[in-house]
């Protein structure tokens, strides 16, 4: 079935305000069904449901308990469907940085004085900061400064018997380059039994998660970046891993009301494209729907790269330039660009004046090394399931007026 972008746009009442939203990396729009689900769950969390007249095998066993007691488990089931795992492999928390801190604390029984952690320059700064507080000796992987890629081969040289944790992102949140997680895992396994921790937050809005395909041990996802509200999850490859952890450190409190909205987020992505006939599981509906959505957004991404690339004054970070032109890097529908001789603040103001919402690219040592500061900064564009070809054309025309 063809992707019905106009039908998808109807799921977001916020789009009626007239803005063209290309800032999914910063503030995703919340679908109406998700907002309604959160409101309902907040309102009903303290309510005690009436007793069921007949108890069957599928009845709620909450006699006399508030309905909100169910919501965290429902959220774990939904995240499990998003990742293709069991609900008993999911830990909830208020946000990903808090979950990283909790994971490191829970790993204390596994750590020794000589333990090391492998970090990288692509991870979000708040996550790296939480891992640095663990007190382990730090080792650093390096990025390809032409593309922003994270080469896998180096991990066979960095990880060793003292390594306990290796952190990588599934994709860079602003440049859009997808990291070869499975290759990194294979390289780590050559000399180490370290756990590989993947921040899947930027990746999850575009593709279903698959820890088995990656070979990773733990993945993190921020539901707010999927168009939900402030709740996050750690997903473990195997529930048996909990036997090595101090599980008290992972006992984080989450809002029952926010947890009640998580199933609606996953259901939203599973219903962007109508499922094939038959009784399909939510996981299979999700894979089908996101597959069609990704194919559609990849087409918009390719057009954006092509049209911006024809403007001689535009530099797409990690894509433009002689060093990057012969490389092949997989990318989600996000990019950062600058206009030669035009500060990024000016570019952003011109976009806003033409009804386009984007953001300035966040400064980081990696982007500085890639030359972003030298060209006056960059602007990040990221797409959502509701974006159209008209949005891309509007963006390119506006940038062309500066370039």
């Amino acid at each position: 079935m063809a992707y019905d972008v106009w039908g998808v746009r109807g799921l977001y009442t916020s789009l009626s305000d007239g803005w063209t939203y290309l800032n999914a990396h910063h503030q995703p729009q919340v679908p109406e069904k998700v907002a309604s689900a959160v409101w309902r769950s907040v309102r009903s969390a303290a309510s005690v449901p009436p007793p069921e007249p007949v108890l069957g095998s599928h009845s709620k066993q909450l006699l006399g308990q508030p309905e909100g007691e169910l919501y965290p488990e429902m959220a774990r089931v939904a995240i499990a469907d998003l990742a293709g795992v069991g609900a008993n492999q999911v830990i909830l928390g208020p946000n990903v940085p808090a979950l990283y801190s909790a994971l490191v604390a829970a790993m204390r029984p596994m750590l020794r004085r000589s333990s090391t952690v492998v970090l990288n320059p692509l991870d979000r700064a708040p996550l790296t900061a939480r891992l640095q507080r663990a007190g382990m000796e730090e080792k650093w992987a390096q990025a390809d400064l032409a593309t922003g890629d994270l080469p896998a081969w180096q991990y066979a040289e960095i990880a060793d018997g003292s390594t306990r944790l290796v952190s990588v992102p599934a994709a860079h949140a602003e440049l859009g380059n997808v990291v070869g997680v499975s290759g990194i895992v294979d390289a780590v396994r050559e000399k180490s039994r370290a756990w590989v921790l993947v921040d899947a937050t930027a990746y999850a809005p575009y593709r279903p998660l698959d820890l088995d395909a990656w070979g990773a041990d733990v993945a993190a996802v921020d539901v707010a970046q999927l168009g939900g509200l402030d709740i996050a999850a750690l997903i473990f490859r195997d529930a048996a891993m909990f036997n090595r952890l101090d599980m008290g450190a992972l006992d984080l409190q989450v809002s029952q009301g926010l947890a009640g909205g998580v199933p609606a987020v996953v259901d939203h992505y599973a219903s962007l494209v109508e499922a094939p006939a038959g009784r399909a599981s939510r996981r299979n509906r999700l894979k089908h729907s996101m597959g069609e959505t990704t194919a559609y957004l990849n087409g918009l991404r390719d057009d954006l790269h092509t049209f911006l690339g024809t403007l001689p004054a535009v530099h797409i970070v990690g894509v433009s330039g002689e060093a990057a032109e012969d490389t092949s890097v997989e990318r989600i529908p996000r990019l950062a660009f600058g206009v030669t001789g035009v500060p990024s603040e000016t570019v952003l103001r011109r976009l806003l004046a033409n009804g386009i919402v984007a953001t300035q690219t966040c400064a980081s040592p990696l982007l500085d090394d890639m030359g972003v500061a030298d060209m006056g900064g960059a602007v990040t564009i990221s797409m959502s399931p509701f974006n159209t070809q008209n949005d891309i054309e509007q963006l390119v025309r506006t940038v062309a007026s500066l370039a």
Side-chain angles (χ1 to χ4, degrees):
M1 178 175 292
Y3 187 77
D4 180 12
V5 66
W6 301 106
V8 170
R9 290 180 66 83
L11 304 176
Y12 296 83
T13 57
S14 59
L15 300 183
S16 62
D17 61 10
W19 288 100
T20 296
Y21 289 103
L22 290 168
N23 64 333
H25 63 288
H26 176 67
Q27 189 66 61
Q29 297 302 300
V30 179
E32 180 61 25
K33 68 186 297 183
V34 174
S36 299
V38 172
W39 169 242
R40 287 194 303 271
S41 60
V42 169
R43 185 176 57 188
S44 63
S47 301
V48 176
E52 297 183 0
V54 178
L55 293 178
S57 60
H58 298 287
S59 299
K60 298 178 183 178
Q61 300 299 319
L62 281 178
L63 188 61
Q65 298 181 32
E67 190 169 332
E69 298 288 341
L70 275 175
Y71 295 159
E73 179 60 21
M74 293 167 60
R76 281 190 285 270
V77 171
I79 295 296
D81 287 340
L82 185 70
V85 300
N88 64 335
Q89 296 166 242
V90 177
I91 299 292
L92 300 179
N95 52 61
V96 175
L99 284 166
Y100 270 44
S101 292
L103 176 63
V104 170
M107 291 179 66
R108 290 295 179 190
M110 300 169 53
L111 303 183
R112 302 292 181 267
R113 184 170 299 179
S114 60
S115 295
T116 62
V117 58
V118 179
L119 306 174
N120 70 86
L122 277 71
D123 262 332
R124 293 181 288 162
L127 304 187
T128 299
R130 296 301 179 103
L131 297 179
Q132 289 176 314
R133 296 177 191 174
M136 291 184 279
E137 180 185 346
E138 298 171 17
K139 296 183 178 181
W140 284 82
Q142 300 302 318
D144 183 329
L145 298 183
T147 64
D149 194 19
L150 195 59
W153 57 263
Q154 62 185 313
Y155 283 86
E157 301 176 0
I158 299 172
D160 58 27
S162 67
T163 306
R164 292 294 177 268
L165 191 65
V166 176
S167 176
V168 296
H172 193 282
E174 295 185 276
L175 300 184
N177 49 294
V178 174
V179 173
V181 174
S182 61
I184 290 174
V185 171
D186 289 343
V188 169
R189 297 283 185 262
E190 289 184 20
K191 297 182 180 178
S192 174
R193 299 175 63 186
W195 285 3
V196 178
L197 169 63
V198 181
D199 175 23
T201 296
Y203 184 95
Y206 304 104
R207 303 172 189 182
L209 307 185
D210 191 335
L211 269 67
D212 287 338
W214 284 338
D217 299 286
V218 190
V221 63
D222 186 345
V223 177
Q225 286 294 301
L226 290 163
L229 297 182
D230 292 330
I231 194 167
L234 283 181
I235 306 155
F236 287 78
R237 170 181 49 80
D238 190 336
M241 297 168 66
F242 296 149
N243 296 330
R244 303 183 63 189
L245 299 174
D246 174 5
M247 291 303 293
L250 289 173
D251 186 16
L252 302 181
Q253 297 298 311
V254 297
S255 163
Q256 291 180 345
L258 297 185
V262 174
V265 175
V266 179
D267 287 338
H268 169 73
Y269 280 91
S271 61
L272 291 174
V273 176
E274 186 177 344
R279 298 181 61 184
S281 66
R282 179 162 56 184
R283 172 65 177 176
N284 287 334
R285 288 188 286 111
L286 187 73
K287 291 168 68 175
H288 173 75
S289 178
M290 293 191 76
E292 296 293 324
T293 304
T294 296
Y296 169 77
L297 290 177
N298 283 349
L300 296 186
R301 175 206 61 194
D302 293 345
D303 286 347
L304 182 57
H305 276 260
T306 298
F307 296 146
L308 282 182
T310 62
L311 302 176
V314 171
H315 179 88
I316 303 175
V317 183
V319 177
S320 303
E322 294 181 2
E325 65 181 9
D326 294 327
T327 61
S328 177
V329 177
E330 186 180 1
R331 297 184 183 276
I332 56 176
R334 298 182 177 183
L335 61 81
F337 74 93
V339 180
T340 303
V342 183
S344 59
E345 295 91 342
T346 302
V347 177
L348 189 61
R349 284 197 297 270
R350 178 65 63 87
L351 294 176
L352 289 170
N354 284 270
I356 300 170
V357 181
T359 68
Q360 279 188 269
T361 305
C362 294
S364 71
L366 170 64
L367 296 180
D368 287 347
D369 290 343
M370 295 180 72
V372 171
D374 293 338
M375 69 177 185
V379 171
T380 295
I381 298 296
S382 56
M383 300 179 201
S384 300
F386 54 74
N387 286 125
T388 68
Q389 189 71 36
N390 292 338
D391 298 340
I392 301 305
E393 294 172 0
Q394 180 187 2
L395 171 68
V396 173
R397 285 196 301 269
T398 304
V399 175
S401 70
L402 286 167

